[in-house]
Structure formats: C-alpha cells, structure tokens
C-alpha cells in the first residue's frame, strides 16, 4: 500500500471535513433529540456521506469525460473551492449552524451532505482517484476515506464527550488550525493545476 498517498488522503480529507469542528454543529442540530435518536442520526449521516463520496469516486472519471473537463481544471476549481472553505474555517463562518427545524431529517441534510460529504471533499476524492493508477494507490485512497469517515462518525457519536474534553476554546483552536492547513492545500492544488496547464500548452 502507498503509505505516503494514504497519509495525504487522510490529512487532506480530515482538514476538509474537520471532525472536531463538526461536533458543535452536530450538537446544535440534534439538541432536541434523545441520545438514541442522536446516535441514529450520526449513523445515518455516515451512510449518506459514504454513498455520496463512493458514487463520485467511482463515476467521477465518467462525469469528467462526458463534460470534457480535464484533471487540471478540476484541480484548479477544487483549489478555489477549498480556499473558500478555508476562509470559512478561519473566520468562523459556518453554514451548518442553521435551525434544525427547517430540515426533515438532519442526518441527510445538512449532516450527511454538505457538512460531511461537501463539495470540497467530493472534489478532493475525485482528484485522488484520478491520480491513482495502481491497486495499491486505490487501496490507499479507499482506506484514507474510511479512516476519515470513521473519525467523523466517532466525533458525532461521542460529541458530548469531545466537546467537554476540548472545550469551546479547544474546538475553536482546532477549527482555525484546520483552516490554515486547508488554505495551504488549496494553494498547492491551484499551483499544480497551473503547472499542468503550462506543460499542456508547451
């Protein structure tokens, strides 16, 4: 297995999906639920996010080919999108803290998507799959996705404990660090896309 790719997938998706930052949003959306209903919502959100990401990971290439989109264009667009997400993390602006009453099932929207399987995560997964060509690389991408999704589920499943351990300041700090790392990842994706365009033009 490609351990370097595995680490890259885990770090990138962990920063994008931000399990610690999901805790306060999950708690606010499920505040009126019993512990049993909250746990069921966490599991349902995991299934929804897994389904969305797997579909795009498998059929992403076909979608790109059909729409005549190059990998460089996808990387560039993904980088720009990640910049926006990073700015949200750095400035503390999150769209998940909306009133849960407006959703029929918070496990599907906004928890499953776009909070867990949002545009940033989808683009990142598609890019990793596009860049893979060997079985070991595909296994690394798949395992990396599973690790991050598992950490998201555990963060929601034990949201109360995590929030008590980290405290409000701890969650805030982790979110800001995640935003900083994500901005660096986004810049690198844009730089790689520009380099690919230049090589293609040459």
């Amino acid at each position: 297995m490609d351990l370097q790719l595995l680490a890259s997938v885990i770090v990138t998706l962990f920063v994008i999906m931000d399990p610690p930052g999901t805790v306060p949003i999950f708690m606010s959306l499920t505040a009126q639920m019993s512990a049993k209903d909250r746990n069921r919502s966490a599991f349902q959100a995991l299934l929804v996010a897994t389904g969305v990401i797997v579909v795009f990971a498998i059929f992403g290439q076909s979608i790109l080919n059909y729409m005549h989109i190059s990998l460089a264009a996808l990387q560039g667009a993904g980088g720009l999108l990640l910049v926006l997400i990073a700015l949200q993390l750095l400035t503390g602006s999150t769209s998940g803290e909306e009133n849960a009453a407006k959703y029929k099932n918070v496990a599907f929207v906004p928890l499953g998507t776009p909070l867990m399987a949002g545009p940033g995560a989808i683009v990142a997964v598609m890019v990793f799959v596009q860049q893979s060509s060997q079985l070991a690389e595909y296994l690394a991408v798949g395992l990396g996705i599973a690790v991050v999704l598992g950490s998201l589920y555990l963060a929601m499943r034990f949201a109360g404990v995590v929030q008590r351990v980290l405290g409000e300041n701890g969650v805030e700090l982790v979110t800001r660090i995640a935003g900083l790392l994500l901005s660096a990842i986004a810049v690198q994706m844009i730089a790689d896309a520009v380099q690919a365009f230049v090589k293609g033009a040459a």
Side-chain angles (χ1 to χ4, degrees), residues 162-179:
V162 173
Q163 195 168 35
R164 284 196 297 271
V165 171
L166 293 180
E168 292 184 5
N169 293 332
V171 172
E172 186 79 8
L173 176 62
V174 171
T175 300
R176 295 297 179 267
I177 294 175

Side-chain angles (χ1 to χ4, degrees), residues 34-196:
S34 64
K36 181 178 180 180
D37 290 339
R38 185 182 293 120
N39 294 338
R40 183 170 64 249
S41 292
F43 184 70
Q44 289 177 340
L46 174 68
L47 293 180
V48 171
T50 301
V52 171
I53 288 179
V54 168
V55 167
F56 276 94
I58 296 176
F59 300 106
Q61 179 65 62
S62 300
I63 295 173
L64 292 181
N65 292 339
Y66 179 76
M67 301 184 69
H68 303 289
I69 299 174
S70 66
L71 177 59
L74 179 64
Q75 285 180 308
L80 293 174
L81 182 60
L82 295 186
V83 167
L84 296 178
I85 298 175
L87 290 176
Q88 291 178 346
L89 292 175
L90 288 170
T91 59
S93 174
T94 57
S95 60
E97 297 175 348
E98 300 170 334
N99 189 351
K102 67 187 291 187
Y103 302 107
K104 292 183 178 180
N105 189 340
V106 296
F108 287 81
V109 178
L111 288 177
T113 182
L115 186 58
M116 293 175 66
I122 291 172
V123 170
V125 168
M126 289 179 66
V127 169
F128 279 123
V129 172
Q130 292 296 312
Q131 293 176 336
S132 301
S133 58
Q134 300 178 358
L135 179 59
E137 294 174 335
Y138 287 120
L139 288 176
V141 173
L143 181 58
I145 294 172
V147 168
V148 177
L149 285 175
S151 66
L152 272 167
Y153 172 71
L154 291 177
M156 292 187 295
R157 179 67 175 76
F158 301 101
V161 177
V162 173
Q163 195 168 35
R164 284 196 297 271
V165 171
L166 293 180
E168 292 184 5
N169 293 332
V171 172
E172 186 79 8
L173 176 62
V174 171
T175 300
R176 295 297 179 267
I177 294 175
L180 180 62
L181 293 175
L182 184 57
S183 63
I185 293 173
V187 171
Q188 186 62 57
M189 288 181 66
I190 295 174
D192 291 342
V194 172
Q195 185 178 19

